[in-house]
Amino acid sequence: MMRRAVLIGNPSVGKSLIFNHLTGLGVEVSNYPGTTVGLMTGIVRYNETEFSLTDLPGIYSLSGRSDEEKLVREYLVTGDADLIVAVLDAKHLERNLYLLLQAAEIRKPLVIVLNMMDDARSAGKIIDADALSKKFGVPVIETIATEGKNLEKIADYVIGDKLPVPGIVPRYDHHIEAAAKSLQKYHNLSEAESMFALENVPLSTLSPEVMESAAVISSEIEKRHMMSPDQIIGANRHNTAKTISEEVTTLSPPKKRRDLDSLLTRGFPGVPILIITMVGILGVVFLLGGFLEEAIISVMTTYLLNPFHALNLAPFLDTVGSAVILALMSGLGIAFPYVFLFYIFISILEDTGYLTRAAFLADRGMHRLGLHGQGLIPLVLSFGCSVPAIMSTRFLPTRRERVIASVLVTMLPCSARTVVISGIVASFIGFGAAFSIYGIVFILVFVLGCVLSRITPGEQYGMILEMAQLRRPIPKYVVRKAWMRVSEFLYIAMPLLLISSVFLGIFEYLGLVTMFESFIDPISTAVLGLPGFAFTALMFGILRKEMAFETLAIMGGTTDLASILSSSQLYIFALVCVLFVPCISTIAVLMREIGVKAAALITVFTLLLGTSLGALLHFVFMLF
């Protein structure tokens, strides 16, 4: 049977870099059962042997109540991992040792990876790996993951004959130790399970009877110490971590480095730098992405679509086949020019460590929207494409924040909506009208964020953010990370685009599109002031937003839209298209990330919002 290893550690300790180095591109992304938290699992091939490696979310403690902490706790206690690979940041050893002590208590085979040894030396900290190994009774591997140093040793231990089990025991208060032994004896619990019970931490293996017994014992301990058991246990672990860190660390004068954080984390010039960075990224992505999209579509039209039409197939096959080819052109036209470029830049910001500075600067402003600084990332991504933006919400700490961010992402104008705004409003009405649509959307997003921050269930926690070390990004890792993310987009979006296009092609061949247009015309004219063919074009926008623009020109029989629709109708069409139902790929990702019910509510809400605002504008335009 193939062996299984898992990576655990604090956020920003280099787990993902180690995972990507060992697994390459053969990665499967899946949600842990009962959660929306994604797990990355890959197959490592080493010395003609294979083993699976899973990258667990970065956490600071196994006793927390966030989705990520619950997942890691359940996975380590109840999972079937053969080896736990604990990745530590050598520069911040004491803080990292707290999680390591908890993992060691589970008494499963464990290997310590002491990463970022170069940063520790630069900070004047010399770590005695042999002494640390003796303390825990397990091997310690010194690494610099950015350079790939010693990472093959991890594979050696996974496939080796002997899997070492840690033997260290934190120094707990004698009342805590007595209570833990009592629970272990009478309820047949493991050492770790007894500690979780005393800390009142939920675990699937702990029955209500166990938790009740632990609560009774805990109340007695609290009366004696005037502190709860979880506070005592936490303090004991911190003291043990501090003692170990001091015993294995030798201090020397640190190397002098430029203090860029004094510039990047202050209001000035930090905020202007952040704005220039984000606007610059958007500008480069839109300009270069637009050029690449045009080139890709031109090539596919010349070498795929036109030759297909030249085959002169039966009308049914020609219609359906054309729809499939158009779907491929649409999907590839977004994925590579916009999404891939965006992920390249986001990966650079992540690997340089700047993204944590941006989140820190944005934190205060994001609080009004019910989010923390990390919520800036999906909102920025949404200007490129809503699909990867919603995927990125999984890195937010609570479901409450993920839901709020997902709703706001569906409202912001992605690159496809920008095509509608620029191609219709800017071209036929004026730039002032086009910017006014952005203004309306931003005001709605702000108001909606303020409302959602008050009504969305769940607690709002403070932001705990570790400033990652500023460093130069390594191009091959940047490209690899971007490709892994864009490939996930392709796996989700492309099948939906193809299936939807087949059905639309069949409907068009059967004349159902024409029937729908004649049916909806009186309703569309009365409510939105738009003719039936314009509303039908809006429906095509559900497949991909700029298809609404393209379909409008096709159904109107001309690219001069000002000749078939008035300025007020063009403005209403563009605004409704921007706020209308998200594209089908976005809906699919919403269902995956936050659930079917929440995705359905967001879809209905945006439908009502778009049509209501369009109807209101139609009424206003009629008055004037």
Side-chain angles (χ1 to χ4, degrees):
M1 180 180 290
M2 183 185 296
R3 285 191 173 176
R4 306 172 67 90
V6 294
L7 291 166
I8 68 164
N10 291 178
S12 304
V13 296
K15 285 190 304 87
S16 297
L17 190 58
I18 292 172
F19 176 83
N20 293 338
H21 183 92
L22 291 174
T23 60
L25 297 177
V27 176
E28 175 187 347
V29 180
S30 61
N31 287 353
Y32 190 73
T35 75
T36 58
V37 182
L39 292 179
M40 289 200 298
T41 300
I43 303 299
V44 180
R45 294 173 178 84
Y46 180 72
N47 287 347
E48 300 182 357
T49 304
E50 293 184 349
F51 64 90
S52 74
L53 184 65
T54 299
D55 184 16
L56 296 179
I59 60 171
Y60 293 100
S61 168
L62 292 178
S63 303
R65 297 179 182 274
S66 71
D67 290 344
E68 289 78 9
E69 288 164 323
K70 292 176 183 176
L71 182 156
V72 177
R73 183 166 62 242
E74 288 287 342
Y75 200 103
L76 295 183
V77 175
T78 65
D80 56 355
D82 296 298
L83 182 68
I84 298 172
V85 182
V87 183
L88 278 61
D89 176 0
K91 183 179 176 181
H92 303 102
L93 182 62
E94 181 180 332
R95 184 179 64 231
N96 285 232
L97 285 174
Y98 187 92
L99 177 63
L100 178 61
L101 286 168
Q102 287 186 294
E105 288 183 38
I106 297 175
R107 299 293 180 249
K108 288 188 176 180
L110 185 143
V111 168
I112 299 172
V113 175
L114 206 55
N115 191 27
M116 305 184 189
M117 292 296 290
D118 52 340
D119 290 343
R121 284 192 289 270
S122 297
K125 297 180 179 180
I126 309 300
I127 311 298
D128 188 339
D130 292 334
L132 185 63
S133 176
K134 291 178 181 177
K135 289 285 184 183
F136 282 85
V138 298
V140 174
I141 303 170
E142 299 180 66
T143 68
I144 301 175
T146 54
E147 300 175 8
K149 285 190 175 180
N150 294 334
L151 296 185
E152 72 283 351
K153 291 185 179 180
I154 298 174
D156 286 331
Y157 283 111
V158 176
I159 64 177
D161 296 330
K162 294 183 179 180
L163 297 176
V165 177
I168 191 169
V169 177
R171 300 169 184 172
Y172 290 119
D173 176 88
H174 67 281
H175 289 117
I176 295 294
E177 291 183 351
K181 289 179 180 177
S182 177
L183 288 173
Q184 292 172 48
K185 179 179 179 181
Y186 290 106
H187 294 282
N188 194 28
L189 302 180
S190 67
E191 184 179 338
E193 287 173 328
S194 65
M195 286 298 174
F196 287 134
L198 288 173
E199 291 177 282
N200 193 29
V201 173
L203 191 67
S204 62
T205 59
L206 299 177
S207 66
E209 291 78 15
V210 171
M211 298 304 289
E212 186 176 346
S213 297
V216 173
I217 298 174
S218 296
S219 63
E220 292 298 323
I221 294 175
E222 189 166 359
K223 288 178 183 178
R224 287 176 175 268
H225 290 263
M226 302 300 292
M227 290 176 65
S228 63
D230 62 301
Q231 292 174 321
I232 300 171
I233 293 170
N236 293 161
R237 288 193 186 119
H238 279 298
N239 290 336
T240 303
K242 181 180 180 181
T243 301
I244 295 173
S245 177
E246 291 174 348
E247 291 176 352
V248 302
T249 304
T250 302
L251 299 179
S252 62
K255 294 181 180 179
K256 291 185 178 180
R257 306 183 69 169
R258 293 181 181 177
D259 185 17
L260 293 178
D261 279 336
S262 62
L263 299 176
L264 299 178
T265 59
R266 292 181 179 176
F268 184 85
V271 172
I273 291 174
L274 173 61
I275 293 173
I276 292 171
T277 300
M278 294 304 175
V279 171
I281 289 174
L282 288 172
V284 172
V285 168
F286 289 162
L287 289 174
L288 185 56
F291 171 77
L292 291 175
E293 179 182 20
E294 189 174 318
I296 291 172
I297 290 178
S298 176
V299 169
M300 294 187 73
T301 300
T302 303
Y303 295 101
L304 187 60
L305 185 61
N306 291 340
F308 178 78
H309 285 310
L311 295 176
N312 293 320
L313 299 175
F316 175 78
L317 294 177
D318 184 73
T319 302
V320 175
S322 297
V324 171
I325 293 173
L326 287 172
L328 287 171
M329 293 168 63
S330 298
L332 297 178
I334 290 179
F336 287 99
Y338 294 109
V339 182
F340 188 57
L341 281 175
F342 244 110
Y343 275 144
I344 286 286
F345 282 111
I346 292 300
S347 297
I348 291 173
L349 294 181
E350 285 178 340
D351 289 358
T352 56
Y354 180 70
L355 213 51
T356 55
R357 277 88 182 157
F360 174 79
L361 286 171
D363 186 58
R364 181 175 296 180
M366 298 299 291
H367 270 272
R368 295 192 176 186
L369 304 181
L371 300 171
H372 289 295
Q374 299 101 314
L376 175 70
I377 308 308
L379 299 188
V380 170
L381 280 173
S382 66
F383 286 96
C385 181
S386 299
V387 171
I390 293 170
M391 287 179 182
S392 69
T393 62
R394 67 180 58 161
F395 300 110
L396 299 181
T398 65
R399 175 173 171 78
R400 178 180 184 272
E401 291 188 47
R402 289 192 285 272
V403 170
I404 293 175
S406 296
V407 175
L408 299 184
V409 161
T410 60
M411 298 275 294
L412 288 168
C414 62
S415 58
R417 287 164 167 157
T418 298
V419 171
V420 175
I421 296 172
S422 60
I424 295 179
V425 183
S427 298
F428 296 104
I429 304 177
F431 286 104
F435 281 115
S436 71
I437 289 185
Y438 279 104
I440 291 172
V441 172
F442 291 151
I443 290 171
L444 288 173
V445 167
F446 178 77
V447 172
L448 182 60
C450 293
V451 172
L452 288 173
S453 68
R454 295 178 178 272
I455 66 173
T456 306
E459 296 184 55
Q460 183 168 358
Y461 301 98
M463 183 177 72
I464 300 175
L465 184 66
E466 181 175 351
M467 290 292 182
Q469 181 77 30
L470 287 172
R471 58 176 69 245
R472 293 179 181 177
I474 298 175
K476 67 176 181 179
Y477 291 130
V478 168
V479 173
R480 181 180 294 178
K481 184 185 294 185
W483 172 250
M484 286 175 60
R485 289 170 170 174
V486 80
S487 62
E488 184 178 0
F489 163 80
L490 289 173
Y491 294 148
I492 293 174
M494 289 305 296
L496 286 167
L497 283 171
L498 292 172
I499 294 170
S500 302
S501 295
V502 169
F503 278 104
L504 285 172
I506 294 172
F507 292 160
E508 185 178 354
Y509 175 79
L510 296 175
L512 296 178
V513 173
T514 305
M515 291 174 58
F516 176 78
E517 183 180 325
S518 60
F519 165 76
I520 202 67
D521 185 78
I523 301 173
S524 176
T525 303
V527 177
L528 299 175
L530 298 177
F533 72 86
F535 191 85
T536 305
L538 284 174
M539 299 303 294
F540 272 84
I542 297 175
L543 181 62
R544 184 184 170 188
K545 283 299 175 182
E546 74 269 37
M547 284 188 68
F549 173 37
E550 298 161 359
T551 307
L552 182 65
I554 294 171
M555 292 189 164
T558 177
T559 56
D560 183 12
L561 300 180
S563 64
I564 55 175
L565 294 173
S566 66
S567 295
S568 61
Q569 287 176 319
L570 289 171
Y571 192 91
I572 290 172
F573 178 90
L575 185 61
V576 173
C577 184
V578 169
L579 297 174
F580 203 53
V581 178
C583 69
I584 192 168
S585 300
T586 302
I587 295 173
V589 177
L590 282 170
M591 292 169 60
R592 172 177 170 174
E593 297 295 330
I594 61 175
V596 175
K597 182 179 179 181
L601 288 173
I602 291 174
T603 302
V604 172
F605 170 75
T606 53
L607 172 63
L608 295 176
L609 179 65
T611 52
S612 298
L613 197 57
L616 178 62
L617 278 177
H618 173 52
F619 176 74
V620 171
F621 288 147
M622 285 180 62
L623 293 178
F624 298 96

